[in-house]
Amino acid sequence: MTVFTKTIPDYQGTSQDSALIRDLTAENEQLRETLKNLLEQATHNHQVMRRHQAFDLQVVGASGFTELIGSIVQTLPLIAELDVVTLTLLDHGGDIHRVLQNLGVDFNCYPNLLFVENEAELGNLPLASHQASMGLFNAQQHRQLFPADLTTPASVAIVPLLRNKRLIGSLNLGSRDPARFTANLGTDFIEHMASIIAISLENVISNELLKYISLTDPLTGVHNRRFFDRRLLEEIGRARRQGYPLACMYIDIDFFKQINDTVGHQGGDDVLRELATRIKAELRLSDALARFGGEEFVVLLIDANSTSACMVAERIRLGIANQPFKLRTGRYCDVTVSIGVATLCDLGGTERNKPIETIAQNFLELADHALYEAKEYGRNRVVCTK
Ligand code: GH3
Ligand code: MG
Ligand code: MG
């Protein structure tokens, strides 16, 4: 922009000249004011651009799903001066939701994160055309994107999130200012932001799915040995620092080979799935259950001494032995398990200076040995070692 500065010569003139000078001075002041406003606007725009660039980097660099969602629903409203931001994810079959829940995401903490299983659930929004839509908030059209317990906006921008021309969700921006989003507003900037968010979302979701697959037993959906081994080391470290006991259970189905022979391999798989469900039902959320392979499951009980661990083991044993397993064929099958229990109660004492890996290995060996004894003593029983 060019700014003209008018210099008034130092000269004693007529009253006409004085009027001209007054006019020119007033015009000059007005120009200065305009310039000041433009500079302020430019500085503001520059700051907004810097904040958006920082936001882009934060979104692209998010290390996991929860960090990314936090950036979108908490940081974005601050940097873009919005009153509410929500995110809708298109989740066919509910797989993403299920996996994230299994990985420990507490969705109650994310009221701005919405899941829909198909495009129809997005309502009659023009998302199918893959175009952003902006305008006044309309409860009938937009309520499902801005639930009533969040701020109700006056104007909204609904921006499709696309990956390879496929709709994966929508970014929903809301302002209390009815003039903030109008139908004729340019969409380039918002669409750029949505494309960065879509790429980052796809990326973190793929990573979370991979993590889930690598730590989960595909048949039963409980954790696998890789997860358990990692968790055991963490928990021993924590228990040693905080001074509480841990207990470990080895659970093995009795005569499973015969069960397979009687009800077939599919029937055997049904038994394994149902067994995992029954064991889980007796545990606390903080406990860890893993299938170590075949028909062997291992449980880590947090803050459990020998007495309480043996009570839990006995409850599991009875819950299995007293109720026949219903298979998908409609057939019933009697199942019993043997359980070996070991506890770690002295982590602050003699175990204090041992490497955690050694403690973990000895701990598992003790539980495995107790299981061996339970089998030796006749099966369908619990053996606890101190
Ligand atoms: P014990 O009481 O001594 O534990 O006897 P068992 O028959 O349960 O033990 P054994 O180790 O002899 O047999 C385990 C069987 O588990 C053999 C194998 O075919 C079966 N098995 C291992 N993995 C699976 C699986 O994923 N599905 C099914 N259906 N069977 C499995
Ligand atoms: Mg067995
Ligand atoms: Mg076995």
Side-chain angles (χ1 to χ4, degrees):
M1 192 195 68
T2 315
V3 179
F4 298 98
T5 315
K6 298 188 179 181
T7 316
I8 312 296
D10 192 10
Y11 139 88
Q12 305 290 311
T14 62
S15 62
Q16 268 181 332
D17 289 340
S18 307
L20 177 64
I21 290 169
R22 270 199 308 278
D23 287 352
L24 286 173
T25 309
E27 193 184 343
N28 191 302
E29 267 168 23
Q30 205 175 359
L31 279 169
R32 279 171 194 277
E33 187 61 25
T34 308
L35 177 64
K36 189 168 150 253
N37 289 342
L38 285 170
L39 277 174
E40 274 172 13
Q41 187 62 45
T43 309
H44 176 74
N45 288 348
H46 184 64
Q47 282 169 350
V48 169
M49 206 178 71
R50 294 274 300 266
R51 287 202 302 255
H52 277 276
Q53 280 170 347
F55 175 73
D56 285 356
L57 289 178
Q58 188 180 336
V59 164
V60 170
S63 64
F65 184 79
T66 51
E67 189 184 322
L68 177 61
I69 300 304
S71 296
I72 297 169
V73 302
Q74 281 152 21
T75 312
L76 185 56
L78 298 178
I79 63 140
E81 293 161 14
L82 295 164
D83 295 299
V84 58
V85 171
T86 68
L87 185 71
T88 314
L89 288 183
L90 201 49
D91 183 17
H92 300 286
D95 291 340
I96 300 173
H97 190 276
R98 193 167 38 252
V99 163
L100 291 168
Q101 201 160 36
N102 285 338
L103 285 173
V105 175
D106 179 1
F107 288 107
N108 292 323
C109 301
Y110 301 96
N112 302 44
L113 177 62
L114 313 160
F115 284 86
V116 292
E117 291 210 14
N118 51 60
E119 292 184 27
E121 281 182 65
L122 286 166
N124 54 347
L125 294 164
L127 289 170
S129 63
H130 296 176
Q131 305 252 305
S133 76
M134 288 181 262
L136 291 176
F137 174 80
N138 169 340
Q140 203 187 357
Q141 222 180 353
H142 302 127
R143 177 51 78 204
Q144 77 270 34
L145 306 181
F146 297 95
D149 47 343
L150 302 176
T151 303
T152 296
S155 68
V156 297
I158 313 301
V159 199
L161 295 172
L162 301 166
R163 285 303 294 139
N164 302 322
K165 300 192 179 132
R166 190 172 44 87
L167 189 65
I168 63 166
S170 69
L171 176 68
N172 316 309
L173 314 175
S175 169
R176 285 204 185 96
D177 176 1
R180 174 70 189 268
F181 296 112
T182 52
N184 52 4
L185 195 73
T187 56
D188 286 2
F189 179 67
I190 283 179
E191 279 166 358
H192 161 82
M193 189 164 66
S195 65
I196 296 220
I197 287 177
I199 292 170
S200 308
L201 262 175
E202 190 181 61
N203 198 17
V204 291
I205 289 172
S206 303
N207 282 345
E208 301 286 3
L209 288 174
L210 266 182
K211 197 195 306 176
Y212 177 75
I213 289 166
S214 73
L215 299 176
T216 308
D217 169 46
L219 178 71
T220 60
V222 302
H223 297 298
N224 60 16
R225 177 149 202 173
R226 189 186 286 125
F227 172 90
F228 190 91
D229 285 345
R230 220 189 270 179
R231 175 86 190 271
L232 180 60
L233 297 181
E234 285 168 18
E235 291 298 344
I236 291 175
R238 209 186 332 264
R240 187 156 64 176
R241 284 193 302 278
Q242 297 180 11
Y244 56 75
L246 295 175
C248 177
M249 278 182 215
Y250 261 65
I251 305 171
D252 186 285
I253 301 180
D254 298 325
F255 304 120
F256 190 52
K257 211 195 266 270
Q258 280 177 28
I259 293 177
N260 266 333
D261 291 345
T262 317
V263 298
H265 206 268
Q266 297 289 334
D269 284 356
D270 290 347
V271 168
L272 290 170
R273 276 189 282 263
E274 173 65 17
L275 182 78
T277 306
R278 291 198 193 182
I279 297 173
K280 223 178 190 170
E282 300 296 344
L283 304 179
R284 290 179 293 196
L285 273 180
S286 54
D287 300 334
L289 164 65
R291 181 180 175 213
F292 264 29
E295 21 72 276
E296 190 166 273
F297 290 81
V298 177
V299 175
L300 179 66
L301 299 174
I302 310 298
D303 197 5
N305 59 22
S306 179
T307 313
S308 56
C310 288
M311 270 168 51
V312 176
E314 192 56 21
R315 244 179 20 227
I316 291 174
R317 186 190 70 78
L318 284 171
I320 290 162
N322 289 348
Q323 182 79 43
F325 282 41
K326 187 171 184 195
L327 312 179
R328 270 181 297 182
T329 54
R331 243 176 112 167
Y332 284 88
C333 171
D334 288 318
V335 179
T336 63
V337 292
S338 299
I339 305 180
V341 182
T343 44
L344 268 182
C345 295
D346 189 29
L347 280 165
T350 54
E351 305 287 285
R352 191 172 38 215
N353 297 319
K354 273 196 200 155
I356 285 180
E357 289 76 10
T358 312
I359 299 174
Q361 197 182 343
N362 294 345
F363 190 30
L364 291 179
E365 277 170 13
L366 275 177
D368 192 22
H369 185 73
L371 168 65
Y372 175 79
E373 287 188 345
K375 293 278 183 190
E376 285 287 289
Y377 295 151
R379 295 177 172 79
N380 188 19
R381 69 194 59 226
V382 173
V383 169
C384 293
T385 52
K386 295 280 175 223

